[in-house]
Amino acid sequence: MIRATDLRKHFRVHKRPPGLAAAVRSLWHRKYETVKAVDGISFAIARGERVGFLGPNGAGKTTTLKTLSGLLHPTSGTVEVEGHTPFRREGAFLRQITLVMGQKQQLLWDLPPADTFAMNRALYDVPVAQFDATMKELTELLDLGPLVTKPTRQLSLGEHMKCELACALLHRPTTLFLDEPTIGLDVSMQLAIREFIRDYNQRHEATVILTSHYMEDVVALCPRVIVIDGGRLIHDGDLRGLIKTMHPGKLVSFTLTAPMADDELARLGAITREGNRVVVQIAEAALREAVGHLLASASVTDLSIEDPPLEVVMRALFKDGAAPATT
Amino acid sequence: MSLRSTARAVPQLLRTGLAETVAYRAEFVVWMLTTTLPLVMLGLWTSVAADGEFRGYSSPDFVAYYLAALIVRNLTGSWVVWQINDEIRRGILAMRLLRPVHPFVAYAASHVAAVPLRGLIALPVTVILLATTARDSLTHDPLQIALILPSLAGAWLLTFAFLFGLGCLAFFIDKSMALLDVYFGVFAVLSGYLIPLSMLPSWLPTVARWLPFRFMLSAPVEVITGRELGAGGAAQLVALQWGYAALILALALALWRAGVRRFEAVGG
């Protein structure tokens, strides 16, 4: 169980205007500003849940993750992870968690990943038999193969991230904090990592907390999302619920095989048109009738019905700044 | 993590540290070349003493002193201050903090692992030179010879703990590396790295005798060369050195604890 109660993390930041005069003035007269990176958020996450943290840059997602993993001391409020207070960083706590940050590495740069794996085995005091079994499992799931004996500096970004993930999971943590784990990876590698995370979650009943700018990661992995903006929690609940609240209705896409006037289409809902391809946003109550009407029309083909993309929902959410009802 | 688990991790940390040292071989050799100041001073002072003793030092005394200083410097020098500073400033210290072994142990193990290789490069030539050109300026007392290793270990720990503490200042000061230049200036003079402490002017030798810097370099050199010490004096010196090492280590770890509370784990 992870529980944060009225969690706050404020930073004191030195501010000065640009220019030489301001630089000289700041020698004896420094101005500081308090940045409220996390400003009173509360949530509880049960064992085995997969939760996505969403929010624009600087929203406070990574700060929350760092506080949950014990890297940062909260300014106020309480945090509890599997019965531990994270910032105390007790051995028993550190052995239960892992934090993967897409932009930071723990692999030793000039040595093959196998050397870092061996070091982590010793640091986490993992029995050799368990280490061998885990290594076998991770090699299979992540298709590591010969990568582990190649110098880390010679690995591609995708190979590197796979090895980072393996390294972070060697001690079989039960709580995974994943901060942008697919950043910079190509689509097929993103897919592989996503599948791996879901599989690990199911095999080990591990709790997964994920932040990602790739909405596909969140959609594919996280039934529940916590949305943070300006350090405050603005939504905590079902991902579909968020989409429905922010963007009621469905997107119906189809291709026109014969011309059809925009006025006629606009009767169904808000339309977006690109050549013959049309997307109409239709309210759920009117969906059945509208789709029936479209299918009956001889000039419509290739029709599909989808939820609005999460990117669109998030854009609307952060543009409006309006907090939807927390579920 | 328990002490037993930490102890079990140390052999692997040493192996990894050695593998890293070998991987960074070019950087390693360059770093070793930067510790050759004693050789420059050796050339200078042996020519000063060519016509007779200078301030109580004959030419072989200077050879013994500076070659011993070279050995001590090579075996006890540390780059941990750059490492910590860089890791704090770039936020990558986060990865160390997430591991269940105190980062001090991990840093120390990786530095200890480099010592055998440094010894392998620095010791053969210097020991042969010492034995052939300055044999009479070295101690022959077996008890004092037995204290050489503990004094080298004490100097290593004291230097490492001091520089670890200095590195921790990056938690509090943005440009803490500027202090390293101040440290190195003070160290060069008050540790005996530049000239033997007894040759310092006026009241400085008295002050230097009681400051920690002496125990980082001059103390093991004094044990090796045996000037005015004797086994009893050498034992007292080593005891004082280990006392200083324990004190500085405690201060450095306190600084670490206070610093980690302020760590902002920037980036990412």
Side-chain angles (χ1 to χ4, degrees):
Chain A
M1 168 67 90
I2 296 173
R3 191 184 298 278
T5 310
D6 199 22
L7 177 65
R8 287 166 209 274
K9 180 65 192 176
H10 298 174
F11 295 102
R12 196 165 168 251
V13 182
H14 171 218
K15 285 262 173 182
R16 74 163 174 80
L20 183 63
V24 173
R25 241 192 334 270
S26 77
L27 281 175
W28 65 86
H29 186 68
R30 293 206 153 205
K31 281 187 180 165
Y32 289 93
E33 193 173 271
T34 299
V35 175
K36 296 176 178 176
V38 176
D39 197 23
I41 66 175
S42 302
F43 55 83
I45 297 170
R47 175 82 189 264
E49 269 197 90
R50 297 193 305 267
V51 180
F53 274 20
L54 295 175
N57 285 331
K61 309 181 296 288
T62 301
T63 302
T64 307
L65 233 51
K66 285 175 178 170
T67 310
L68 292 176
S69 60
L71 287 176
L72 298 176
H73 286 233
T75 305
S76 68
T78 57
V79 194
E80 188 192 308
V81 176
E82 300 297 333
H84 297 274
T85 303
F87 67 80
R88 291 196 184 125
R89 296 204 320 280
E90 294 147 331
F93 165 72
L94 294 174
R95 270 195 286 272
Q96 282 183 50
I97 66 146
T98 200
L99 170 66
V100 174
M101 290 195 268
Q103 292 165 326
K104 289 202 172 41
Q105 57 163 31
Q106 60 168 325
L107 293 175
L108 300 164
W109 187 246
D110 272 307
L111 301 180
D115 282 349
T116 313
F117 297 166
M119 186 181 76
N120 269 20
R121 188 203 69 72
L123 289 171
Y124 286 94
D125 204 16
V126 179
V128 175
Q130 185 191 319
F131 173 78
D132 289 343
T134 312
M135 216 42 248
K136 196 173 162 213
E137 180 190 324
L138 291 172
T139 302
E140 188 187 307
L141 285 173
L142 286 165
D143 193 20
L144 296 179
L147 300 182
V148 295
T149 51
K150 201 168 152 185
T152 299
R153 63 170 183 273
Q154 289 175 6
L155 297 175
S156 71
L157 187 60
E159 292 171 339
H160 194 126
M161 185 44 84
K162 286 204 288 186
C163 292
E164 284 287 343
L165 262 178
C167 194
L169 300 174
L170 271 174
H171 57 289
R172 289 195 189 156
T174 50
T175 304
L176 276 56
F177 300 111
L178 307 176
D179 189 18
E180 307 281 358
T182 57
I183 198 162
L185 301 184
D186 62 36
V187 178
S188 67
M189 195 58 70
Q190 284 177 29
L191 200 65
I193 299 282
R194 262 178 235 146
E195 279 172 7
F196 170 76
I197 293 168
R198 192 188 297 110
D199 194 86
Y200 186 90
N201 158 260
Q202 284 162 0
R203 278 191 197 209
H204 302 285
E205 210 207 331
T207 310
V208 177
I209 300 183
L210 171 91
T211 77
S212 180
H213 279 105
Y214 298 118
M215 293 302 166
E216 288 301 317
D217 285 350
V218 179
V219 172
L221 282 172
C222 304
R224 175 182 168 191
V225 290
I226 290 178
V227 184
I228 303 173
D229 191 17
R232 303 190 71 85
L233 191 150
I234 59 173
H235 174 86
D236 177 1
D238 178 44
L239 178 59
R240 289 189 175 280
L242 173 68
I243 293 172
K244 275 202 168 65
T245 310
M246 289 307 298
H247 218 286
K250 299 273 185 185
L251 295 182
V252 178
S253 316
F254 50 87
T255 304
L256 291 173
T257 52
M260 193 183 276
D262 279 359
D263 288 352
E264 193 181 338
L265 290 168
R267 281 210 300 270
L268 301 171
I271 64 163
T272 317
R273 196 166 177 166
E274 227 173 88
N276 287 338
R277 191 74 186 160
V278 182
V279 180
V280 191
Q281 189 189 331
I282 302 175
E284 206 126 0
L287 190 64
R288 184 188 290 261
E289 190 189 335
V291 171
H293 173 71
L294 284 168
L295 288 173
S297 157
S299 53
V300 168
T301 183
D302 197 14
L303 184 141
S304 64
I305 304 167
E306 291 166 330
D307 280 324
L310 190 53
E311 281 91 344
V312 174
V313 175
M314 298 313 286
R315 205 180 303 133
L317 182 62
F318 298 129
K319 193 174 81 180
D320 296 348
T326 300
T327 53
Chain B
M1 197 178 190
S2 71
L3 276 178
R4 198 180 295 170
S5 305
T6 301
R8 276 202 294 270
V10 167
Q12 180 59 48
L13 286 172
L14 290 173
R15 278 196 290 275
T16 309
L18 187 61
E20 276 196 287
T21 308
V22 174
Y24 298 127
R25 53 195 183 276
E27 187 186 352
F28 182 73
V29 170
V30 170
W31 189 85
M32 283 196 70
L33 290 174
T34 64
T35 62
T36 51
L37 181 68
L39 291 180
V40 178
M41 302 309 288
L42 171 63
L44 186 74
W45 288 106
T46 45
S47 34
V48 169
D51 298 330
E53 279 194 5
F54 180 82
R55 306 276 295 265
Y57 279 80
S58 66
S59 187
D61 288 344
F62 277 122
V63 173
Y65 183 89
Y66 283 112
L67 287 181
L70 186 67
I71 291 172
V72 175
R73 180 76 181 135
N74 263 300
L75 296 183
T76 64
S78 169
W79 63 94
V80 69
V81 61
W82 285 276
Q83 208 176 354
I84 297 182
N85 194 280
D86 179 57
E87 291 185 7
I88 292 172
R89 287 170 60 82
R90 293 200 289 137
I92 51 180
L93 182 73
M95 289 303 164
R96 282 187 193 273
L97 292 176
L98 291 171
R99 292 171 177 156
V101 163
H102 196 292
F104 180 86
V105 177
Y107 282 124
S110 74
H111 283 245
V112 168
V115 171
L117 203 63
R118 283 153 66 170
L120 206 65
I121 296 171
L123 283 181
V125 178
T126 38
V127 168
I128 290 169
L129 278 174
L130 268 175
T132 52
T133 60
R135 192 179 171 81
D136 292 339
S137 299
L138 301 173
T139 180
H140 295 284
D141 184 333
L143 282 176
Q144 200 168 327
I145 290 172
L147 285 168
I148 291 175
L149 211 54
S151 73
L152 283 170
W156 181 89
L157 182 61
L158 178 56
T159 307
F160 186 80
F162 199 99
L163 291 174
F164 181 85
L166 204 58
C168 289
L169 292 178
F171 284 121
F172 307 91
I173 309 167
D174 285 344
K175 297 281 180 190
S176 67
M177 286 304 279
L179 291 171
L180 187 64
D181 294 331
V182 177
Y183 159 79
F184 193 74
V186 174
F187 166 84
V189 175
L190 297 179
S191 72
Y193 188 46
L194 217 51
I195 54 170
L197 294 181
S198 59
M199 286 171 57
L200 290 173
S202 179
W203 46 268
L204 264 177
T206 317
V207 174
R209 285 177 72 80
W210 297 102
L211 290 176
F213 305 102
R214 175 193 181 198
F215 301 94
M216 294 174 176
L217 188 130
S218 179
V221 171
E222 288 169 49
V223 175
I224 295 168
T225 57
R227 289 179 68 87
E228 304 158 10
L229 263 185
Q236 277 181 14
L237 193 67
V238 174
L240 200 54
Q241 179 195 44
W242 277 88
Y244 255 125
L247 176 71
I248 299 294
L249 178 59
L251 289 174
L253 291 177
L255 207 57
W256 170 268
R257 274 194 298 278
V260 164
R261 285 188 66 88
R262 297 169 56 103
F263 181 54
E264 293 182 1
V266 289

